[in-house]
Amino acid sequence: MLSTLQPPRSLSLLPLRRLRNSKTIVSAASSTTSVISPPQSQILTTRRSLLSGETTAAEIAKSYLSRIRLTEPQLKCFLHVSENVLKDAQEIDQRIAKGEELGPLAGVLIGVKDNICTQGMPSTAASRILEHYRPPFDATAVKKIKELGGIVVGKTNMDEFGMGSTTEASAFQVTANPWDLSRVPGGSSGGSAAAVAARQCMVSLGSDTGGSVRQPASFCGVVGLKPTYGRVSRFGLMAYASSLDVIGCFGSTVADAGMLLHAISGYDRFDSTSSKQDVPEFQSQFLSVDHFESKPLNGVKVGIIRETLEDGVDSGVRSATQEAASHLEALGCVLTEVSLPSFSLGLPAYYVIASSESSSNLSRYDGVRYGNQVMAEELNKLYECSRGEGFGGEVKMRILMGTYALSAGYYDAYYKRAQQVRTLIRKDFKAALEQNDILISPAAPSAAYKIGEKKDDPLAMYAGDIMTVNVNLAGLPAMVLPCGLVEGGPSGLPVGLQMIGAAFDEEKLLKVGHIFEQTLKGSSFVPPLLANVP
């Protein structure tokens, strides 16, 4: 790990210790043998370092900004880096000097996906039609982060308006995967995932409409957490598909993702779909491995979704998922195989619903109400030119698909039928979760693939979302965390395990995920890019 990120042992949340029976691994980057210690929460480590006087918020901010300057030319994770990072950090140091109480995110450096509004900072959804747009307000999630002392580092790259699975559909740049610069980081929240993996920020916000937090988390070897629909306010999130969109969290550990989710959760009067459900104190689930029992998950019922391990899944991904299931069993879980009969119907239903809702939502970007305007002599031509020059190819294609599905004569055949399938998917998940505490599956059918490999084959790219879209259709919480490495790149490519829970039961997901992560042996999920970065 990077020296600037590691606190003294006495200050760490989870003391460094040798895992019992831990394996040694040979890192392709360093060719040295090492014992792997459990990953540590950057949020709690930062807080304890600040309160102890071991370091200052300004020093931490400088180290991250330095790392961004060194790695950003290769990765291109950020569309904009805030000029106020050091100023915000110095204000925190002044509060510490005065003995004032600090918020739980004080000094924590946070990346924000570019489709989440940030006051006075560019928020473009990676689209030319919103180029140079600076919102006059913060999204509710961003506002909560700032109120708790978090520092917004900048705005991360993404597929335009969230439409894509590789971050190649950004109008401005293509983000690279820190594990292999020739591969995609996933999408549409690829910039947020890659920034956390490369330690350019401690945690980050993304959005998840059909897997846009979970798939890039798998590709980049970080934790990605999609909350229950309604758990986090969508106010300030630029709408793609309103019945599917949620704001999610990335972290290098389950604890970091969980604490960030806790910070942004809760009812918001500005979002009619936000829930008044109580938000549990997630931090109570993040115990040190020293306090684990011999079988800390004894009796937890885990269902393996049969359809996610059938044809079309890479053998390495299948093996990593099966090994992860064996690890859960060793921790005391009771494993069963479950079937979701409607599983294969989710992908076409998702793309009909998401495209239809995007056709409606993006109609506001016409150069008059919203978006950059291209001058023309008459109104229809103004609309045509503004949208034609402002939207990219993927966005245009999905708008056309959605408009077709909603048109007279086709509504019943496509949109209405897709909503009926959605009901079946919800029923299947409900039945499976009545018999199991959580469900597990791979996060994606493969590890990260090459940049450009699927850009000209949209159907192949869409098929990569098959593991994740059903969760959005059902509105359930899910978390992806790294569970192994497969061949590829300079030192292997990470594979993510997806855990799915019942509505508003993120607490159980975080408990199981944290114990899984802290007891997993034999893999280090730090990309080789960081081997020579201070």
Side-chain angles (χ1 to χ4, degrees):
M1 280 292 289
L2 305 175
S3 60
T4 52
L5 298 181
Q6 291 295 336
R9 296 189 181 203
S10 61
L11 297 175
S12 61
L13 166 65
L14 302 168
L16 296 174
R17 57 192 292 273
R18 291 177 67 94
L19 288 171
R20 297 181 181 89
N21 303 318
S22 64
K23 301 175 183 177
T24 60
I25 66 164
V26 178
S27 167
S30 62
S31 299
T32 58
T33 303
S34 59
V35 177
I36 299 168
S37 299
Q40 302 182 34
S41 164
Q42 295 301 314
I43 291 178
L44 290 185
T45 293
T46 297
R47 182 175 181 83
R48 294 179 183 183
S49 296
L50 291 176
L51 293 178
S52 70
E54 178 70 24
T55 188
T56 66
E59 289 172 347
I60 293 172
K62 287 176 183 177
S63 71
Y64 276 86
L65 290 173
S66 174
R67 196 172 303 118
I68 289 173
R69 282 192 294 271
L70 288 170
T71 58
E72 189 61 10
Q74 298 168 287
L75 294 176
K76 300 181 180 177
C77 298
F78 284 92
L79 293 175
H80 173 78
V81 176
S82 172
E83 57 274 12
N84 294 323
V85 173
L86 278 178
K87 176 175 171 285
D88 293 342
Q90 289 164 355
E91 288 178 359
I92 291 170
D93 289 333
Q94 290 169 6
R95 293 187 63 189
I96 294 173
K98 293 177 182 177
E100 296 179 8
E101 186 175 347
L102 297 180
L105 296 181
V108 174
L109 298 163
I110 302 169
V112 177
K113 189 176 179 180
D114 201 40
N115 62 343
I116 301 173
C117 289
T118 45
Q119 185 175 10
M121 195 181 295
S123 303
T124 69
S127 178
R128 294 287 181 191
I129 205 163
L130 285 174
E131 191 172 8
H132 307 306
Y133 173 61
R134 292 176 180 254
F137 66 98
D138 281 324
T140 296
V142 173
K143 182 181 178 184
K144 288 185 174 185
I145 283 171
K146 290 181 177 179
E147 288 173 348
L148 296 176
I151 300 172
V152 175
V153 178
K155 306 304 291 293
T156 57
N157 195 27
M158 57 180 285
D159 289 295
E160 185 178 4
F161 281 103
M163 300 182 190
S165 303
T166 64
T167 315
E168 293 172 290
S170 169
F172 303 111
Q173 61 191 31
V174 176
T175 299
N177 191 315
W179 288 83
D180 181 350
L181 298 177
S182 69
R183 296 178 186 268
V184 300
S188 62
S189 306
S192 290
V196 171
R199 308 307 191 259
Q200 293 182 329
C201 56
M202 298 177 190
V203 291
S204 64
L205 293 182
S207 65
D208 193 311
T209 305
S212 291
V213 164
R214 290 161 289 151
Q215 183 248 30
S218 176
F219 281 13
C220 292
V222 297
V223 178
L225 179 55
K226 173 214 171 291
T228 307
Y229 185 83
R231 172 69 85 186
V232 178
S233 170
R234 292 185 298 112
F235 179 74
L237 172 64
M238 297 176 190
Y240 164 17
S242 300
S243 72
L244 302 167
D245 297 339
V246 297
I247 292 177
C249 307
F250 291 99
S252 56
T253 65
V254 172
D256 285 338
M259 284 184 281
L260 182 59
L261 175 61
H262 185 270
I264 65 175
S265 294
Y267 173 72
D268 177 22
R269 65 186 180 90
F270 294 115
D271 176 11
S272 62
T273 64
S274 72
S275 172
K276 294 183 179 179
Q277 193 94 6
D278 289 340
V279 181
E281 182 54 65
F282 299 140
Q283 190 171 328
S284 61
Q285 303 302 324
F286 308 135
L287 299 176
S288 164
V289 286
D290 295 322
H291 295 96
F292 290 171
E293 299 173 358
S294 59
K295 289 189 179 292
L297 295 177
N298 191 43
V300 175
K301 297 178 181 178
V302 176
I304 307 173
I305 303 175
R306 178 192 306 156
E307 290 81 0
T308 63
L309 294 174
E310 295 178 347
D311 293 343
V313 180
D314 286 0
S315 59
V317 172
R318 187 183 295 113
S319 296
T321 304
Q322 290 167 342
E323 289 174 11
S326 297
H327 181 55
L328 286 169
E329 193 169 28
L331 293 170
C333 293
V334 179
L335 268 61
T336 57
E337 189 178 75
V338 301
S339 177
L340 300 178
S342 61
F343 179 81
S344 63
L345 303 176
L347 195 64
Y350 164 80
Y351 274 102
V352 168
I353 292 171
S355 297
S356 299
E357 293 187 12
S358 72
S359 171
S360 175
N361 279 324
L362 270 64
S363 65
R364 71 193 68 178
Y365 301 105
D366 54 16
V368 177
R369 292 172 293 176
Y370 294 95
N372 294 324
Q373 186 178 99
V374 175
M375 297 305 296
E377 293 183 0
E378 59 98 18
L379 188 60
N380 285 335
K381 192 67 176 176
L382 184 150
Y383 290 160
E384 178 185 336
C385 292
S386 297
R387 289 169 173 161
E389 294 185 19
F391 289 140
E394 182 67 28
V395 173
K396 291 175 185 175
M397 182 168 66
R398 297 199 192 193
I399 289 173
L400 289 172
M401 288 167 54
T403 304
Y404 178 83
L406 292 174
S407 61
Y410 297 100
Y411 180 92
D412 287 352
Y414 292 102
Y415 187 74
K416 182 179 179 181
R417 184 162 295 186
Q419 292 289 13
Q420 291 170 334
V421 168
R422 187 178 194 170
T423 300
L424 293 177
I425 290 169
R426 283 174 172 161
K427 288 180 178 178
D428 284 349
F429 269 120
K430 185 174 186 292
L433 286 166
E434 283 174 350
Q435 302 299 319
N436 296 276
D437 294 302
I438 65 169
L439 306 176
I440 63 171
S441 76
S446 71
Y449 41 86
K450 295 284 187 176
I451 292 173
E453 183 178 328
K454 298 185 179 181
K455 191 173 183 181
D456 297 324
D457 189 354
L459 292 181
M461 190 181 297
Y462 296 168
D465 296 335
I466 193 167
M467 303 296 179
T468 53
V469 293
N470 287 16
V471 176
N472 294 79
L473 290 169
L476 299 176
M479 179 172 64
V480 165
L481 64 164
C483 66
L485 298 171
V486 297
E487 290 185 3
S491 62
L493 298 172
V495 172
L497 177 70
Q498 178 173 228
M499 298 181 177
I500 305 165
F504 297 102
D505 200 6
E506 290 88 354
E507 190 171 18
K508 189 175 293 177
L509 285 180
L510 291 167
K511 176 182 178 180
V512 175
H514 174 70
I515 292 171
F516 176 93
E517 166 196 79
Q518 295 296 304
T519 55
L520 186 66
K521 303 167 186 175
S523 294
S524 172
F525 298 104
V526 179
L529 176 75
L530 299 183
N532 300 314
V533 177

